[in-house]
Amino acid sequence: MITITNNIHYVGVNDRSKSLFEGLWPLPNGVSYNSYLIDDEKTCIIDTVEVDFFTQFIENIREVLGDRPVDYLVVNHMEPDHSGSIALLRKYYPDMQIVGNKKTFQMMQGFFGISDQLLEVKNGDTLSLGSHDLQFVLTPMVHWPETMMTLCGTTLFSGDAFGCFGALNGGIIDEQINCDTFWLEMVRYYSNIVGKYGIPVQNALKKLDGVKLDYICSTHGPVWHEHIEKVVGLYDRMSRYETEPGLVICYGTMYGNTERMAEHIARAASQAGLKNIVVYNVSKTHHSYILRDIFRYRGLIVGAPTYNTGLYHEMEVLLSKIAGKDIKGDHLFGWFGSHGWASKAVSKIAEWNEQHLHFQPVGEPVDMKQALTAETQAQCEALGRAMAEAMKG
């Protein structure tokens, strides 16, 4: 039995087998599906786990309750990694009432065909379990339409908000574990899963403003206790698209010529005084890590060859993903490209920025024909210096 505080228990599970979260995002350190159980006059589970882990999940519940029933199941989020066990759980506890909002139940009918023994709540509604009182905070589009959070005194069950990738290695609460590996994974989780919805995240944070929190119980990653201020601050900054000085350079290359351009750009930016520089080959590094750093750093320079009279495919994919995140703020943007006989890459990247990204252009784009010359090297160095100077300004 894993107790968090005041008869609130952890009954979640770890997934160390899945290689891609949502079939998209790498999980080198696994992921946790967190569920919580409040043991009171009335018993209540907060969210479930992915259905593949139901056997372990029900064992965790029974370790706390024995043969006692579950009175309520609160569903903060209907995404199947958290709702997948609802139908099976109802079979074990047929009298269990399911608590959610109107949009929750519309989805529940579609996913599981469940339409009975439902308790609909609205923003601010409360539910007494005995000595624990629950208050429901609707947070639509963080990051699905039905998402909500549940307050229990100074404990917040936050759904996917404040979550991160990474399985829990023994300890559950942040003060019990070394959290170093979780910080960048929180940024990667936010930027790839929640990042498009900065305004709804800000709206949710406003609803929580002034609420004293001792524990934040997310559905992924550690239970936050010692680091609550840091975690909330991180979400606040990311949802306002606030960045730090730094430069992401990402490139596509077929035979190494475009890569040489990227190296000269990076070297020049460094010599101009910029310290935080990361360089990525878009065909080698998973784009989730590149997106993570684009959310972190203010500057972005991209480059790729012309391919099939258009833009190198992997760069086209990356630009599409960046555009899909609808990143706001004052990002600085530079670009470069190469071609063998017909130049298209540079103009295509410019179109992406004009039509979709809307970042602030910096420096002069560099278009290299065939191989690097002293002239194109100088142009690359000028682009790197211009980005560094713009960052300083």
Side-chain angles (χ1 to χ4, degrees):
M1 183 185 302
I2 301 171
T3 301
I4 297 170
T5 182
N6 191 25
N7 287 330
I8 298 174
H9 307 282
Y10 179 88
V11 291
V13 299
N14 282 314
D15 184 348
R16 302 183 191 276
S17 299
K18 187 179 277 85
S19 58
L20 292 175
F21 189 77
E22 298 180 342
L24 292 168
W25 319 115
L27 294 173
N29 302 312
V31 68
S32 66
Y33 309 122
N34 298 342
S35 175
Y36 306 92
L37 194 158
I38 304 173
D39 186 6
D40 204 331
E41 294 173 23
K42 297 289 187 179
T43 60
C44 179
I45 293 173
I46 312 288
D47 291 309
T48 72
V49 303
E50 193 170 88
V51 69
D52 293 350
F53 297 87
F54 182 79
T55 299
Q56 184 181 342
F57 179 50
I58 198 70
E59 288 175 358
N60 293 345
I61 294 169
R62 286 180 163 172
E63 184 180 358
V64 179
L65 294 183
D67 294 330
R68 294 159 55 209
V70 173
D71 295 300
Y72 296 106
L73 168 65
V74 172
V75 180
N76 284 325
H77 186 22
M78 273 299 299
E79 206 165 0
D81 54 333
H82 309 299
S83 69
S85 292
I86 289 176
L88 279 175
L89 195 64
R90 170 60 74 79
K91 291 182 183 297
Y92 276 77
Y93 302 106
D95 296 326
M96 174 183 74
Q97 278 197 291
I98 301 176
V99 182
N101 59 67
K102 183 176 181 180
K103 291 181 180 178
T104 305
F105 297 141
Q106 291 170 354
M107 291 187 178
M108 194 173 298
Q109 172 67 37
F111 276 116
F112 306 116
I114 295 175
S115 58
D116 63 325
Q117 292 177 249
L118 308 179
L119 177 59
E120 183 180 331
V121 295
K122 297 180 174 62
N123 187 63
D125 284 355
T126 60
L127 174 65
S128 177
L129 305 178
S131 61
H132 296 78
D133 292 324
L134 305 183
Q135 182 178 12
F136 304 100
V137 182
L138 270 60
T139 57
M141 294 317 302
V142 183
H143 53 122
W144 276 28
E146 87 305 348
T147 52
M148 69 180 194
M149 300 181 188
T150 302
L151 269 168
C152 180
T154 58
T155 298
L156 175 68
F157 301 97
S158 62
D160 273 351
F162 311 116
C164 57
F165 296 128
L168 298 171
N169 300 321
I172 303 297
I173 303 174
D174 59 0
E175 64 185 0
Q176 303 167 340
I177 59 182
N178 185 333
C179 292
D180 289 351
T181 60
F182 288 107
W183 299 121
L184 281 181
E185 285 295 73
M186 176 175 277
V187 178
R188 188 165 72 97
Y189 180 89
Y190 178 90
S191 57
N192 288 278
I193 307 296
V194 188
K196 182 181 177 68
Y197 305 104
I199 292 174
V201 171
Q202 280 290 305
N203 291 337
L205 291 173
K206 288 174 184 175
K207 289 183 177 181
L208 297 173
D209 188 37
V211 176
K212 184 181 185 302
L213 296 176
D214 289 324
Y215 293 89
I216 294 179
C217 300
S218 176
T219 48
H220 296 294
V223 170
W224 302 111
H225 177 56
E226 184 178 35
H227 297 298
I228 283 179
E229 185 176 344
K230 180 175 181 176
V231 166
V232 174
L234 192 59
Y235 257 64
D236 181 38
R237 291 193 299 276
M238 289 189 295
S239 60
R240 286 188 285 109
Y241 304 96
E242 190 175 292
T243 56
E244 58 185 286
L247 172 61
V248 180
I249 301 173
C250 43
Y251 66 90
T253 192
M254 289 184 286
Y255 305 110
N257 292 306
T258 318
E259 182 176 55
R260 292 182 67 193
M261 299 176 75
E263 296 288 1
H264 285 294
I265 292 168
R267 180 64 59 84
S270 174
Q271 290 175 338
L274 197 56
K275 290 185 177 180
N276 293 327
I277 302 173
V278 289
V279 181
Y280 291 119
N281 183 329
V282 294
S283 298
K284 183 177 180 181
T285 301
H286 194 276
H287 293 177
S288 67
Y289 295 94
I290 301 174
L291 287 168
R292 175 198 69 188
D293 287 341
I294 291 171
F295 265 79
R296 293 172 66 202
Y297 294 134
R298 188 181 177 204
L300 173 64
I301 297 178
V302 304
T306 297
Y307 194 85
N308 282 343
T309 67
L311 183 59
Y312 186 71
H313 174 72
E314 284 301 310
M315 182 57 70
E316 191 101 47
V317 171
L318 176 64
L319 292 173
S320 175
K321 289 178 180 177
I322 298 170
K325 299 304 176 187
D326 194 22
I327 299 172
K328 298 174 175 59
D330 60 346
H331 273 72
L332 306 176
F333 187 63
W335 63 99
F336 62 101
S338 63
H339 64 280
W341 65 91
S343 174
K344 285 292 183 180
V346 168
S347 61
K348 288 290 185 182
I349 295 172
E351 286 177 16
W352 270 101
N353 190 47
E354 291 166 4
Q355 297 176 14
H356 304 288
L357 306 183
H358 310 298
F359 293 162
Q360 180 181 333
V362 170
E364 290 295 325
V366 184
D367 191 0
M368 179 180 72
K369 184 174 182 178
Q370 292 157 0
L372 194 71
T373 64
E375 181 181 0
T376 51
Q377 178 176 329
Q379 291 170 346
C380 289
E381 291 169 351
L383 178 57
R385 285 193 300 270
M387 180 60 75
E389 292 301 322
M391 205 85 64
K392 293 176 185 176

